[in-house]
Amino acid sequence: MSLWRTIADHLRDDIARGHHAPGERLPSEAALAARFGVNRHTVRQALAALSDEGLVWSRRGAGVFVQAAPTDYPLGGRTVQFHRAIALAGRMPGRQIDFVATRTADAVEAEALALPPGAQVHVAEGVSLVDGQPVAMFRSVFPAEWLPALPDGLRETGSITAALDRCGVPAFRRAHTRITARVADATRAARLQARPGDALIRTEAVNVTPDGTPVERGLSWWLAARITLTVTPEGGGSDP
Amino acid sequence: MSLWRTIADHLRDDIARGHHAPGERLPSEAALAARFGVNRHTVRQALAALSDEGLVWSRRGAGVFVQAAPTDYPLGGRTVQFHRAIALAGRMPGRQIDFVATRTADAVEAEALALPPGAQVHVAEGVSLVDGQPVAMFRSVFPAEWLPALPDGLRETGSITAALDRCGVPAFRRAHTRITARVADATRAARLQARPGDALIRTEAVNVTPDGTPVERGLSWWLAARITLTVTPEGGGSDP
DNA sequence: CGATATTTGTTCGTATGTATC
DNA sequence: GGATACATACGAACAAATATC
């Protein structure tokens, strides 16, 4: 067996045993090379393998870190809201709204919200955080006509749910979610404090009031390394 | 505005208007260069932009093709089975089982199937197709002890559902699905007739019998460009 | 704040063992 | 056996980002 595989196995074992805690920095490549008595390249190849497995990640100039376990975010259940779902998983949710504006809807947005072409929508963009680390960037659009106070609400509360509540929409449910994936470009990677080429999960969701009127179309790009989406049917029917 | 952007916009428009149908080949780069009166490099830059957007894709020596619209595959509903879900969407499903074997379960598999450590499992690997094009590769593991005839069934029927039916498991439902994403490496890209660096959606699903006993743990890598996963709550509860 | 040391990322080059045709 | 390709391993140097003082 090759040297670098042996070293990778050794490190994988160390991490599994809790010798290096999630989020912590590994010894430097030079230190590991000295410890194993090999060239730095050989250590790098082992680390690259672990990085491919998603077990560690590196930041130039800073070091190699043990990847924290990705947070679960349930899609299917009743807890539509990001804050509550993450808090239930025992993590600290956060949301940061960077941009609020009002403009005319494009064709896709109008169709999703069941609006006539050319209708006005509020747009909110920002980043979702778990334990202070960005896990997703989002853009939400809302029908402007019957939610005139929404932009102020968003700016003041920093929360979509709270802002909708203020506008007289206390309850909503998810009509559907569409999931696809992309590779991060430089812009998105920077926004998520990740690297270009990282895998992103893209979700497009439409939330509706209890009577079925669309209130929000949310587009999110999730950093796949930091989050796992889960679907658990709560109704749970059998399937012949 | 730069020349290549203008050309990219032009081509995007042509595609949107249906001038080039999904799946069809675009004119060669040389032909496009002649048509727009520019150098081939300029056309290539425009095509690269469209390729980044996922609108077209190229195969060396073959040409540039308009990306077919991704198929929807519902995750949450009652139609767990790939065949039926794709057929319902009006496309032609296919499945190809490349490999069937029996071995001892690893720790993750044993836990997912609620088996004791070291238990035997059947493993099936293959590729899922839509309209003859690969959209996913999968690996399924099944508890071997109470499904002794499964490998033969898989080899003879080529269908997981049919093989399970033969083994006395006529019905099952999805207990949960976990979704994450990766970037395709060379091996997976080749298997999916895609390119390294393409985005993949990875799902891990556990199917259980009506009484809750796990029968299958399925791992799938979906080519994001060719499929969209959807989640539509059929129970549909409100969420305050 | 700026200077400096540390650390990862990248690119040369060289050499060796192994598998394949 | 010869020719070739490939993976592995080591060495040196530099670039770029980060940490530290």
Side-chain angles (χ1 to χ4, degrees):
Chain A
M1 193 191 265
S2 54
L3 248 183
W4 68 266
R5 281 179 201 278
T6 316
I7 294 173
D9 288 348
H10 198 126
L11 291 173
R12 201 183 294 107
D13 237 52
D14 280 0
I15 292 169
R17 286 172 203 283
H19 204 281
H20 305 289
E24 269 187 14
R25 223 202 70 182
L26 289 183
S28 75
E29 292 174 353
L32 289 173
R35 171 178 154 200
F36 290 110
V38 299
N39 191 277
R40 188 163 78 98
H41 281 302
T42 313
V43 169
R44 280 182 62 77
Q45 192 156 10
L47 289 174
L50 297 184
S51 177
D52 272 357
E53 297 169 26
L55 210 63
V56 304
W57 63 290
S58 57
R59 248 172 60 225
R60 183 199 299 214
V64 180
F65 300 84
V66 178
Q67 182 61 261
T71 312
D72 270 5
Y73 177 49
L75 278 184
R78 287 171 182 272
T79 44
V80 177
Q81 284 124 49
F82 177 78
H83 260 87
R84 215 198 291 177
I86 299 303
L88 275 174
R91 307 274 194 128
M92 199 189 67
R95 199 158 240 185
Q96 169 189 325
I97 298 181
D98 300 326
F99 176 78
V100 178
T102 303
R103 57 164 171 76
T104 64
D106 68 27
V108 180
E109 291 163 353
E111 207 239 312
L113 293 174
L115 296 174
Q120 293 290 108
V121 288
H122 300 312
V123 183
E125 291 185 13
V127 174
S128 305
L129 312 165
V130 170
D131 294 341
Q133 222 185 5
V135 296
M137 49 189 288
F138 65 89
R139 174 165 72 234
S140 283
V141 298
F142 309 85
E145 197 177 344
W146 58 283
L147 297 168
L150 193 77
D152 288 338
L154 284 171
R155 273 184 281 259
E156 285 163 28
T157 67
S159 153
I160 290 175
T161 310
L164 281 174
D165 192 14
R166 278 203 193 179
C167 294
V169 185
F172 52 86
R173 61 184 167 87
R174 184 143 298 184
H176 73 257
T177 310
R178 303 166 68 88
I179 304 161
T180 180
R182 285 272 178 108
V183 172
D185 57 24
T187 317
R188 285 200 242 276
R191 194 96 170 257
L192 289 167
Q193 295 178 26
R195 283 177 306 185
D198 282 357
L200 302 181
I201 307 172
R202 191 192 105 129
T203 59
E204 187 237 325
V206 174
N207 283 321
V208 299
T209 60
D211 67 3
T213 315
V215 285
E216 177 196 2
R217 172 177 186 260
L219 226 66
S220 294
W221 286 267
W222 306 86
L223 199 46
R226 301 199 190 131
I227 202 116
T228 303
L229 308 181
T230 65
V231 181
T232 319
E234 287 183 60
S238 123
D239 188 59
Chain B
M1 192 189 268
S2 55
L3 205 46
W4 67 266
R5 279 178 202 279
T6 316
I7 295 173
D9 288 349
H10 197 126
L11 290 172
R12 201 182 294 109
D13 236 50
D14 279 0
I15 293 170
R17 285 172 203 284
H19 203 281
H20 305 290
E24 269 187 13
R25 224 200 70 179
L26 288 183
S28 74
E29 292 175 353
L32 288 172
R35 171 176 155 202
F36 291 110
V38 299
N39 192 280
R40 196 178 135 224
H41 286 304
T42 314
V43 168
R44 282 185 62 77
Q45 191 158 11
L47 289 174
L50 297 184
S51 176
D52 272 356
E53 296 168 26
L55 208 63
V56 304
W57 63 289
S58 59
R59 248 175 54 223
R60 191 202 309 212
V64 180
F65 299 83
V66 179
Q67 182 58 259
T71 313
D72 270 5
Y73 177 49
L75 278 184
R78 284 171 183 272
T79 44
V80 176
Q81 283 124 48
F82 177 78
H83 259 87
R84 214 197 292 176
I86 299 303
L88 276 174
R91 306 275 195 127
M92 198 189 68
R95 198 159 243 185
Q96 169 190 325
I97 297 181
D98 301 325
F99 176 78
V100 178
T102 304
R103 57 163 170 76
T104 64
D106 69 27
V108 180
E109 290 162 354
E111 207 238 311
L113 292 175
L115 296 174
Q120 292 292 107
V121 288
H122 300 312
V123 184
E125 291 184 13
V127 175
S128 305
L129 312 165
V130 170
D131 293 342
Q133 218 183 11
V135 297
M137 49 188 290
F138 65 89
R139 173 164 73 234
S140 283
V141 298
F142 309 84
E145 196 177 345
W146 58 282
L147 297 169
L150 193 77
D152 287 336
L154 285 171
R155 274 184 282 258
E156 285 161 30
T157 67
S159 154
I160 290 175
T161 310
L164 281 174
D165 193 13
R166 278 202 194 181
C167 294
V169 185
F172 52 86
R173 62 184 167 88
R174 184 142 298 183
H176 73 258
T177 309
R178 304 165 68 88
I179 305 160
T180 180
R182 285 272 179 108
V183 172
D185 57 23
T187 317
R188 285 199 242 277
R191 196 95 170 259
L192 288 167
Q193 294 176 28
R195 282 176 307 183
D198 282 356
L200 303 180
I201 307 173
R202 191 193 104 129
T203 60
E204 187 236 323
V206 174
N207 282 323
V208 298
T209 60
D211 66 4
T213 315
V215 286
E216 177 196 3
R217 173 177 185 261
L219 226 66
S220 294
W221 286 266
W222 305 87
L223 199 46
R226 298 194 192 138
I227 201 116
T228 303
L229 308 182
T230 64
V231 181
T232 320
E234 287 183 60
S238 124
D239 189 56

